[in-house]
Amino acid sequence: MKKYIIIALVSGTVLTSCGEYNKVLKSTDYEYKYEAAKSYFGKGQNTKAATILEELITIMKGTDKAEESLYMLGMTYYNQGDFITASHYFTTYYNTYPRGVYTEQARYFSGKALFLDTPEPRLDQSSTYKAIQELQMFMEYFPTSSRRQDAQQMIFDLQDKLVMKDYLAAKLYYDLGSYTGNSTYSTTGNNYLSCIVTAQNALKDYPYTKMREDLSILVLRAKYDMAKASVEEKKEERMRETIDEYYSFKNEFPDSKYTKEVESIYKDANKYVKEFNE
C-alpha cells in the first residue's frame, strides 16, 4: 500500500510541476515569465528556461531585462551541450552589448563553446580556426581576465590539433612514397616532397609544438628515401641534403628517441657521397 502512495505522491509532484510550467508558457505576464525563466535556469532546468527565454529576448528587447535574458539563453544551450547555438547567442550578446555586464563571460564562453565542439584532427578543422580566433579576441579585449590562462591553454590545445592534422597528412604522404604515372603521360615522381613541405610548414607555423621531433624525423626520412629513389645524377646531391638534415636533427634533438634510426640513415647516406668514400 505504501508503494502506491509513494507513486501517487511522485506523480502528483510531476503533474504539479508540468502544470506550473504550462501555466508559465501560456501566461502573458512577461515579468512572471522572466522570473520563472531565472528560476528554471537556477535549478538547472535548462530546456524549460531556454524555451521561455527564446520568447522573452524578442519581447523584452530594449528593456533592462533583455540583456540578462540573452546571456542566460546562451548559458542554457551551453549547459545542454549545444555549443554551436550557445556560441551564436553569446556572439549576439557581445555584439549587442559590447560594454554589457556579461560581455567578458559571453566572449569567453563563446570561444570555449566552439573549443568544445571542434572535431578530431583527421576531419575538417575550419571550426578549430574559428575557435582560436574567438579565444584570441577574448584575450585581446580582456587581457587581465582571470580566465585568460584558461583561454590560452585552449588555444594551445587547438593548435596541437592543427599540428596533428598536418602531421597525419605528412605521414600519409610519406607512407604513399613513390608513384608512377600512367602510360599516357609517362610521369613519375614521389610524395616525399609533399611530406617534406607539409611537415616543414607545420614546424614553421607552430615552432613550439610538442610534436616538433616527430615532424622533424619525417622530414629526415622523406629526404633520405627521396634521395634513394633518385636517378643517379641527382642521388649524391640529395644524399648531401639528407646529411645536412641529419646534423640539424642531431643538434636539436641530441637525445632523440629516434637516435638509432637517425644514425643508420646518416651511415647509409655517407656511402653515396664521394668525400666520405675517398
Side-chain angles (χ1 to χ4, degrees):
M1 184 69 177
K2 289 181 180 179
K3 179 179 178 182
Y4 295 114
I5 292 172
I6 291 169
I7 292 173
L9 288 172
V10 171
S11 299
T13 302
V14 172
L15 288 172
T16 301
S17 176
C18 290
E20 179 65 30
Y21 178 59
N22 288 330
K23 180 182 175 182
V24 173
L25 293 178
K26 293 175 183 178
S27 176
T28 56
D29 182 345
Y30 297 112
E31 287 290 334
Y32 169 59
K33 281 192 167 184
Y34 171 74
E35 293 301 328
K38 287 183 70 173
S39 176
Y40 286 129
F41 178 71
K43 294 174 184 177
Q45 295 176 303
N46 292 288
T47 304
K48 289 181 178 179
T51 302
I52 300 168
L53 289 168
E54 287 277 9
E55 179 186 7
L56 291 180
I57 59 169
T58 302
I59 293 170
M60 291 190 159
K61 192 172 183 179
T63 71
D64 59 344
K65 295 182 174 60
E67 182 179 346
E68 186 177 27
S69 295
L70 184 54
Y71 176 71
M72 278 196 298
L73 182 57
M75 287 305 303
T76 60
Y77 282 108
Y78 180 87
N79 292 336
Q80 292 178 76
D82 185 348
F83 298 121
I84 296 300
T85 305
S87 182
H88 164 72
Y89 281 117
F90 288 135
T91 302
T92 302
Y93 176 91
Y94 69 66
N95 284 329
T96 307
Y97 307 102
R99 298 179 183 275
V101 177
Y102 305 103
T103 301
E104 180 181 337
Q105 295 97 312
R107 281 194 174 275
Y108 171 78
F109 281 111
S110 178
K112 187 171 182 179
L114 293 175
F115 166 80
L116 292 170
D117 195 63
T118 53
E120 63 164 311
R122 294 180 186 277
L123 301 177
D124 178 70
Q125 295 299 308
S126 299
S127 59
T128 301
Y129 287 107
K130 187 176 179 181
I132 290 173
Q133 182 181 35
E134 195 77 3
L135 290 165
Q136 286 175 334
M137 289 298 290
F138 162 74
M139 293 172 63
E140 183 178 327
Y141 275 92
F142 300 98
T144 61
S145 172
S146 61
R147 295 184 172 94
R148 179 183 174 85
Q149 189 173 350
D150 289 339
Q152 184 67 75
Q153 186 57 57
M154 282 189 276
I155 290 173
F156 288 151
D157 291 343
L158 292 169
Q159 288 176 339
D160 285 342
K161 187 173 288 192
L162 294 176
V163 173
M164 176 57 77
K165 184 173 181 64
D166 285 343
Y167 171 79
L168 292 172
K171 180 71 163 54
L172 178 61
Y173 282 129
Y174 178 78
D175 290 341
L176 288 172
S178 299
Y179 64 84
T180 303
N182 58 47
S183 57
T184 304
Y185 297 101
S186 299
T187 58
T188 58
N190 63 72
N191 291 290
Y192 296 126
L193 183 58
S194 296
C195 168
I196 293 165
V197 171
T198 302
Q200 287 180 334
N201 283 341
L203 289 167
K204 180 180 178 181
D205 293 340
Y206 309 102
Y208 303 109
T209 175
K210 60 187 178 183
M211 294 196 67
R212 189 169 181 84
E213 185 178 356
D214 299 300
L215 287 161
S216 296
I217 190 64
L218 271 182
V219 174
L220 178 59
R221 285 172 183 163
K223 285 191 173 184
Y224 172 60
D225 286 349
M226 185 166 66
K228 285 198 301 181
S230 298
V231 294
E232 287 303 317
E233 56 266 28
K234 291 186 178 181
K235 187 162 291 186
E236 182 177 353
E237 177 189 349
R238 288 180 175 171
M239 283 299 179
R240 287 181 185 277
E241 291 176 3
T242 300
I243 292 170
D244 288 342
E245 192 65 37
Y246 159 83
Y247 282 118
S248 295
F249 186 94
K250 286 289 288 183
N251 286 335
E252 187 169 359
F253 309 105
D255 300 314
S256 173
K257 58 187 176 183
Y258 300 111
T259 295
K260 187 175 180 181
E261 177 186 357
V262 166
E263 294 300 336
S264 177
I265 289 173
Y266 174 70
K267 183 178 178 181
D268 190 60
N270 284 337
K271 297 175 183 178
Y272 298 89
V273 179
K274 290 179 181 179
E275 63 191 68
F276 292 104
N277 294 292
E278 291 177 351

